[in-house]
Amino acid sequence: MKEAACEYTKRVTIVNELGLHARSASQIAHIAREARSRVWIKQEDEIVDASEVIDILTLACGKGTAITLKIENLTDKKILDRIAALVEMGFRE
């Protein structure tokens, strides 16, 4: 029997002064690549693959921007939580 896909989302706000830039996008992508299924970032009506730095940068998220993180399978919940924590602590900057 095939495992049913689930969806889990978490809304976070960019808190660091520099916003979501190349170094922070790289940190997100590095974590997202560990997931078994895809990880997505949504900002308003745009959704991008969280494992791709260039895709993340196209969102142009400055400080104060709210984004939604999404996974397709609950087995990746820890990955999503790690990305959310990284964003919430300002990418350690």
Side-chain angles (χ1 to χ4, degrees):
M1 178 181 274
K2 188 175 179 182
E3 182 178 324
C6 297
E7 188 177 288
Y8 180 79
T9 62
K10 188 163 193 169
R11 192 152 174 88
V12 293
T13 301
I14 307 295
V15 297
N16 62 315
E17 292 296 324
L18 299 174
L20 188 49
H21 54 84
R23 187 173 49 247
S24 54
S26 177
Q27 292 175 5
I28 290 172
H30 179 75
I31 296 170
R33 288 181 190 129
E34 296 176 23
R36 292 183 183 174
S37 298
R38 299 200 81 180
V39 180
W40 304 97
I41 300 175
K42 182 178 182 198
Q43 194 265 327
E44 294 183 1
D45 293 332
E46 194 169 352
I47 188 163
V48 299
D49 184 343
S51 67
E52 297 294 332
V53 175
I54 296 298
D55 290 357
I56 296 169
L57 292 175
T58 65
L59 296 175
C61 298
K63 180 179 180 183
T65 302
I67 59 174
T68 301
L69 305 171
K70 181 175 105 170
I71 54 174
E72 295 177 348
N73 195 307
L74 284 178
T75 59
D76 293 320
K77 184 179 179 306
K78 287 183 181 181
I79 299 292
L80 190 66
D81 290 341
R82 284 174 51 203
I83 294 171
L86 184 67
V87 173
E88 290 169 340
M89 69 174 138
F91 304 101
R92 299 184 195 103
E93 295 179 343

